[in-house]
Amino acid sequence: MRLSSSLTLIACLAVSGAAQAQTATPDDARLRADALALFEPIPLAPDPAPAAEKVELGKMLFFEPRLSEGHNISCNTCHNLGTGGADLAAFSTGHRWQQGGRNSPTVLNAVYNTAQFWDGRAADLAEQAGGPMQNPVEMGSNPEHVVEQLSGIPGYLPLFASAFPDAPEPISFANATDAIAAFEDTLITPNAPFDRFLRGEDDALSADQKAGLAAFIDQGCAACHSGRNLGGDSYQPFGVVEKPGWSILPPEDKGRFMVTKAEGDEYAFKVPTLRNIALTPPYFHSGAVWDLGTAVGVMATAQLGASLDESQTAQIVAFLESLTGAQPQVVYPILPPSTAETPRPKM
Amino acid sequence: MRLSSSLTLIACLAVSGAAQAQTATPDDARLRADALALFEPIPLAPDPAPAAEKVELGKMLFFEPRLSEGHNISCNTCHNLGTGGADLAAFSTGHRWQQGGRNSPTVLNAVYNTAQFWDGRAADLAEQAGGPMQNPVEMGSNPEHVVEQLSGIPGYLPLFASAFPDAPEPISFANATDAIAAFEDTLITPNAPFDRFLRGEDDALSADQKAGLAAFIDQGCAACHSGRNLGGDSYQPFGVVEKPGWSILPPEDKGRFMVTKAEGDEYAFKVPTLRNIALTPPYFHSGAVWDLGTAVGVMATAQLGASLDESQTAQIVAFLESLTGAQPQVVYPILPPSTAETPRPKM
């Protein structure tokens, strides 16, 4: 992965960044070297590229409200591609106006997370995609009904058959989630200012953003928020130094412990990606904090035992804002029509 | 309008349809002449074309869930561009899971309707767009809060200023609905097989569809379902010959009468467009009928006092299926981000 990233870097420099890279100050060069030891840019395109037929089908299913019991909630409802792949609410509202218990994580760059959900209970995007469909407080359906529903929409059969040519029964729950995952593989956000800095563009970051990046590394944030996604690849107890208040860390949600039952996992959560974080308030699994600066302060106190002054906080926030990449350009899919025999919504 | 349509027809023939038109059988030619006396094709592009800045802003607002009180319902929720501009439910589900009282009409080609809503209470698309936002059972907001909400999302100000350069306060409820209407002006579906037939392509319709078109005219359906939208330009009592059952015509909904209080308007409704009708079950203002053939039979009995046999019904349904045009290709908009100060959802 590091190798392919380096090749991309070289390609990028060859096209546009070489002149700027040559004028790097020693400070910029050192900051970039420090950063490249911890982070890597989002690739410019999905690698490997998922099969086009699966992606196109998966895009339809991602926007398909008939996957929910009421035919009014799709994946995109809570992972809205127009709002950073999340839904700008503390908890999502699902079937029959029920509220979920954790903040919807962004679907953008989720392919680079080591596992899915705040507690990592799904190994990959396909497994994750099946979760909300059958969660009674989310889409309220179940695997059998999803298959019945999709089989009752005639236009889907040829699309599944084309995406899964070797399957004797192309329409299955597993194939539906597999196709959604293929589409989600494409939901990456390259070319954030931070990535362009990593690739050699000194001017991609402002002075404040560079100071924020340095502070992010020096203060220890990057101990957990590292790698391609600046997070997404480990579980950490929330409040390792000092537990935040119960409004931020509700006592009843023990996080990863509910999956592993391991004592050390109490109140541990998957470290979230910080990619596009400025687009996706509110923050934390509890969605309790709406201000990015406040969230940075909570993290410093709870995880690092550090107290940041206003200027440091502002610089780190400025750096986090540099993690907003190019948002996916998606043509809204036209879905196959229902017929009189298609299973109908149940409210 | 007829003139510009004729010019479009000529242009179209010049490009692709001339050879076919020359081989028209006398039957095809007569059917086309009969049809052109009653109907006209959807233009190939919006005419006049709305201003690009308004359309782009309007597209964002059309997909903007923060226009609803719970930040989870947008125009597109009930007028889904992926499902024929409607929502495949008898009644839409709105704020706090409340149900509306009439079936969501399609937004596609709605620009060609003489007025909006089933009872025509909105004169145009802009007036219509303001309705659901402030309907407590739909989006649950109000004009003041819509302005407060949009003003609290910093990225909207430059977009409104660009779309409304002469407005001293660009962000207003009227400008928001005006921009949505501009986007909706573009949501037309040209090139349906029926339109291609009107423009000279004999083979655009199957033999059944041609028979269905002839029956549609001969039986009298076209008395109300005429013009560019095959409907959308008059109010008619539902059950002029024979009232359908109460499940189809609920007694409490007196339709246009609730707007005009005129006795003759009891149970009158705007004749809906039949454009893309095959995409948008269920049917009627009550959403009570899911099968298009059944709906045709109900109309024949209730409005014409006619009893269609199975073959006639199937032919008319085949004709109605020829009214499905090219669906809008829309790049899903990336919305301006919320900040810590942006008004938050209220569930």
Side-chain angles (χ1 to χ4, degrees), chain B residues 106-298:
Chain B
T106 180
V107 68
L108 302 179
N109 308 302
V111 60
Y112 301 128
N113 294 338
T114 195
Q116 304 299 330
F117 291 117
W118 279 98
D119 55 17
R121 68 183 182 276
D124 56 27
L125 288 172
E127 192 182 339
Q128 188 284 330
M133 289 185 210
Q134 52 190 312
N135 187 328
V137 307
E138 299 187 39
M139 297 168 84
S141 189
N142 61 63
E144 295 69 32
H145 186 62
V146 164
V147 171
E148 181 188 36
Q149 185 72 50
L150 294 173
S151 303
I153 300 170
Y156 271 121
L157 182 56
L159 299 173
F160 273 86
S162 161
F164 300 96
D166 300 328
E169 298 197 22
I171 297 183
S172 69
F173 191 68
N175 286 349
T177 57
D178 189 41
I180 291 172
F183 172 59
E184 292 177 342
D185 284 348
T186 72
L187 299 179
I188 62 175
T189 63
N191 280 322
F194 174 60
D195 290 350
R196 293 193 282 114
F197 177 79
L198 289 181
R199 289 191 167 116
E201 284 187 45
D202 292 328
D203 298 340
L205 297 186
S206 69
D208 268 355
Q209 289 173 326
K210 289 175 189 173
L213 168 56
F216 189 84
I217 296 172
D218 295 343
Q219 292 284 344
C221 313
C224 299
H225 290 286
S226 59
R228 186 179 277 174
N229 253 359
L230 295 90
D233 59 3
S234 71
Y235 304 92
Q236 302 293 340
F238 193 173
V240 67
V241 174
E242 179 184 323
K243 286 257 178 297
W246 65 262
S247 65
I248 291 176
L249 186 63
E252 68 276 13
D253 185 355
K254 296 198 174 179
R256 179 79 176 153
F257 174 81
M258 292 150 90
V259 177
T260 63
K261 307 296 176 194
E263 203 179 319
D265 285 341
E266 281 200 350
Y267 301 107
F269 293 89
K270 180 160 57 72
V271 175
T273 176
L274 297 180
R275 292 279 177 189
N276 303 292
I277 194 71
L279 302 182
T280 60
Y283 301 111
F284 303 130
H285 68 286
S286 55
V289 173
W290 290 76
D291 181 74
L292 190 49
T294 306
V296 168
V298 168

Side-chain angles (χ1 to χ4, degrees), chain B residues 46 48-63 159 162-164 175-176 178-187 329-331 333:
Chain B
E53 293 83 359
K54 273 195 200 179
V55 172
E56 195 54 34
L57 172 60
K59 181 173 85 167
M60 289 179 169
L61 297 174
F62 186 85
F63 284 96
L159 299 173
S162 161
F164 300 96
N175 286 349
D178 189 41
I180 291 172
F183 172 59
E184 292 177 342
D185 284 348
T186 72
L187 299 179
Q329 296 289 298
V330 171
V331 175

Side-chain angles (χ1 to χ4, degrees), chain A residues 66 72 76 80-82 88 93-97 290-291 327-335 340 344-345 347, chain B residues 66 72 76 80-82 88 93-97 290-291 327-335 337 340 344-345 347:
Chain A
R66 289 168 290 187
N72 56 351
N76 189 66
N80 192 327
L81 300 186
L88 307 179
T93 300
H95 190 57
R96 298 189 176 147
W97 212 256
W290 291 76
D291 181 74
Q327 302 298 294
Q329 294 291 297
V330 170
V331 176
Y332 195 72
I334 305 304
L335 304 177
R344 298 172 190 173
M347 310 316 292
Chain B
R66 288 168 292 188
N72 57 350
N76 188 66
N80 192 325
L81 300 187
L88 307 180
T93 300
H95 189 58
R96 296 190 178 147
W97 211 257
W290 290 76
D291 181 74
Q327 303 297 294
Q329 296 289 298
V330 171
V331 175
Y332 196 73
I334 304 303
L335 304 177
R344 298 171 191 175
M347 310 314 293

Side-chain angles (χ1 to χ4, degrees), chain A residues 144-233:
Chain A
E144 295 71 32
H145 186 61
V146 164
V147 171
E148 181 188 34
Q149 185 73 50
L150 294 173
S151 303
I153 301 168
Y156 271 122
L157 183 57
L159 299 172
F160 272 86
S162 162
F164 300 96
D166 301 327
E169 298 198 21
I171 298 183
S172 69
F173 191 68
N175 285 350
T177 57
D178 190 40
I180 292 172
F183 172 59
E184 292 177 343
D185 284 350
T186 71
L187 299 178
I188 62 176
T189 64
N191 281 322
F194 175 59
D195 290 348
R196 293 192 283 113
F197 177 79
L198 289 181
R199 289 192 166 117
E201 283 187 47
D202 291 328
D203 297 340
L205 297 185
S206 69
D208 268 354
Q209 289 174 325
K210 289 175 188 172
L213 168 57
F216 189 83
I217 296 172
D218 294 345
Q219 293 283 346
C221 312
C224 300
H225 290 285
S226 59
R228 184 179 278 173
N229 253 359
L230 294 91
D233 59 1

Side-chain angles (χ1 to χ4, degrees), chain A residues 78 80 83-89 103-108 118 272-284 287 289-290 292 324 327, chain B residues 337-339:
Chain A
C78 304
N80 192 327
T83 54
D87 65 357
L88 307 179
N103 184 254
S104 282
T106 180
V107 68
L108 302 180
W118 280 98
T273 176
L274 296 180
R275 291 278 177 189
N276 304 293
I277 193 72
L279 302 183
T280 62
Y283 301 111
F284 303 131
V289 173
W290 291 76
L292 191 49
T324 301
Q327 302 298 294
Chain B
S338 286
T339 71

